[in-house]
Amino acid sequence: MDNQVDLKTSLGSLQLESPVMTASGTCGFGRELADFYDLKELGGLIVKGITIDPRDGNPTPRIAETAAGLINSIGLENPGLEGFIEDELPFIKNVNTKVLVNISGHSLDDFRRLAAGLAENDGFDGIEVNVSCPNIKGGGLAFGTDPELVYKITRLVRKEYTGFIMVKLTPNVSNIIPIANSAAEGGADALAVANTLPGMKIDIDKQKPVLATGSGGLSGPAIKPVALRLVYEIAKNDILPVLGVGGIMAVEDAVEYFLAGAKAIGVGTATLVDPYAPIKIKNGLRKYLNNNNFKSLNEIIGLAHKEGANND
C-alpha cells in the first residue's frame, strides 16, 4: 500500500488530514472510540447533539434493527449546554483531530443561545447545526423542510458564532436545492447530507411498533442511494462543500460519495457495528486510490460529473 497517497481535503475553511469523519450521534463525545484507537486517526469527530437543557431522551426501546440498517429514536439524550461545557469540553480540547459540536433546538432562540454559549469557549473547530432530527417534538424535522426556517436558523447561528458552521440537512424533501441554498445564504460554510429518514418497525407477535415512540430515524445501507443522490445534486449545483453521510459501511460506499462530489464523509451506523470502521474505510480509500493510479483524493472528487460520464 502506498502511504504517499494524499488524503487531505477541506470542507470550506475546515482543513482535514483525512476525509473520514464520524457522523454525529454515533460516537458520543469521543470517549467511546478513544478506547479503541487514537482519535487523530480520524479526519474529524462530530460529537452527539447538544440542547440547551439536559435531556434524558426518549423511553426505551429506542433502537431497532432492520434488514438494511437500524431505526433509532434516542431523542437527543445529552447533558445540555452547561453540562457539555463543564464535563465534555475538557476532554474534547485534548483530542488531536478536528471536532465539530452538533447543536439542536426546539425553537429559533434555542439555536441562538447554543451558538452564543459555544462561542464563549474554545477547544473545538466548529458547529454542526442539526435542522433535521426526526426524534424530537416541537421542531426537529419540521425545521429542515422549510427553506425560510433553515435560513433563519443558520443566520442566527452565524450572528453569534464566527467560526466554521456546517448545516445538517434532512433527506425528507422533494427538492434539496432550495434548502441547501437557504443554508448558504444564511452563512453556512458547508453542508452535511443527509440525516436519517423517518421509519418504523412493527412487532408482529405483540402487534405494535417496536420503538416506544412508534417511529424513528432510519440509517444504514437502506438510505445510501437517497443521500448519495442529494449529495450529487448539491455538488452539481456547486452550492457549498458537502460532507456525505448515510449508509457508508465500507470503502466502496465512501468512494461513491466522493465521485458524487462530497469533499469528506461521515461514518455513523457502521461504527455501531464495528468501532474500527472509520479506520478501515480510510485505509481502504488509500488502497483504492493507489490501485487506480490516483495520487490524491482530490482527483476523484466529483469525477462522476465530468464530461463523458454517464450522468443520465
Side-chain angles (χ1 to χ4, degrees):
M1 185 182 298
D2 185 357
N3 289 319
Q4 298 307 308
V5 171
D6 186 3
L7 293 182
K8 292 186 178 67
T9 188
S10 62
L11 285 166
S13 61
L14 188 70
Q15 303 296 315
L16 303 174
E17 291 297 312
S18 158
V20 184
M21 305 181 76
T22 61
S24 56
T26 58
C27 60
F29 295 107
R31 299 177 194 271
E32 294 85 344
L33 288 183
D35 290 338
F36 294 91
Y37 47 80
D38 191 329
L39 296 180
K40 71 179 181 181
E41 293 294 322
L42 297 169
L45 179 75
I46 307 179
V47 303
K48 75 182 279 96
I50 61 169
T51 51
I52 289 292
D53 298 313
R55 287 180 58 94
D56 293 329
N58 291 329
T60 58
R62 53 190 188 181
I63 293 182
E65 287 191 55
T66 72
L70 62 83
I71 303 173
N72 89 83
S73 181
I74 303 300
L76 294 174
E77 178 183 347
N78 77 95
L81 176 61
E82 289 185 10
F84 169 77
I85 291 170
E86 292 177 7
D87 301 329
E88 305 298 341
L89 196 52
F91 169 81
I92 287 172
K93 287 181 177 181
N94 293 314
V95 170
N96 190 22
T97 190
K98 298 298 171 66
V99 179
L100 301 183
V101 180
N102 181 286
I103 62 172
S104 187
H106 292 80
S107 67
L108 296 179
D109 193 56
D110 279 358
F111 286 100
R112 182 194 64 78
R113 292 169 60 197
L114 285 161
L118 289 173
E120 295 176 356
N121 295 271
D122 56 17
F124 61 98
D125 300 280
I127 292 175
E128 181 182 59
V129 184
N130 185 2
V131 296
S132 53
C133 181
N135 297 323
I136 60 171
K137 297 178 180 178
L141 187 59
F143 288 138
T145 59
D146 186 327
E148 184 177 355
L149 283 176
V150 169
Y151 170 80
K152 287 181 177 179
I153 291 170
T154 309
R155 192 64 182 161
L156 282 171
V157 173
R158 173 52 74 202
K159 286 181 177 179
E160 299 292 344
Y161 182 73
T162 60
F164 176 82
I165 296 173
M166 180 165 67
V167 177
K168 190 169 189 178
L169 303 186
T170 176
N172 199 45
V173 292
S174 58
N175 186 357
I176 197 72
I177 301 305
I179 309 293
N181 280 328
S182 292
E185 291 165 6
D189 298 293
L191 303 170
V193 183
N195 210 328
T196 57
L197 281 163
M200 174 181 279
K201 183 176 183 178
I202 294 177
D203 187 319
I204 63 172
D205 295 317
K206 296 180 179 178
Q207 297 90 42
K208 67 177 185 178
V210 171
L211 298 178
T213 53
S215 64
L218 174 66
S219 65
I223 75 165
K224 191 190 86 176
V226 176
L228 186 67
R229 183 188 71 84
L230 298 178
V231 169
Y232 185 92
E233 290 299 315
I234 292 172
K236 183 173 71 174
N237 284 272
D238 194 25
I239 298 172
L240 282 176
V242 176
L243 175 78
V245 187
I248 301 173
M249 307 298 289
V251 66
E252 292 82 3
D253 303 313
V255 170
E256 284 192 68
Y257 274 97
F258 292 123
L259 294 174
K263 299 286 189 179
I265 57 161
V267 180
T269 299
T271 63
L272 304 178
V273 179
D274 177 7
Y276 292 97
I279 309 304
K280 292 177 179 178
I281 290 171
K282 183 182 79 169
N283 292 337
L285 181 60
R286 183 178 283 115
K287 183 177 181 180
Y288 169 86
L289 293 171
N290 185 54
N291 288 347
N292 288 277
N293 299 314
F294 294 109
K295 296 299 183 183
S296 72
L297 174 73
N298 286 328
E299 292 181 58
I300 70 167
I301 291 175
L303 206 54
H305 295 268
K306 301 299 182 183
E307 185 177 352
N310 182 8
N311 294 334
D312 296 326

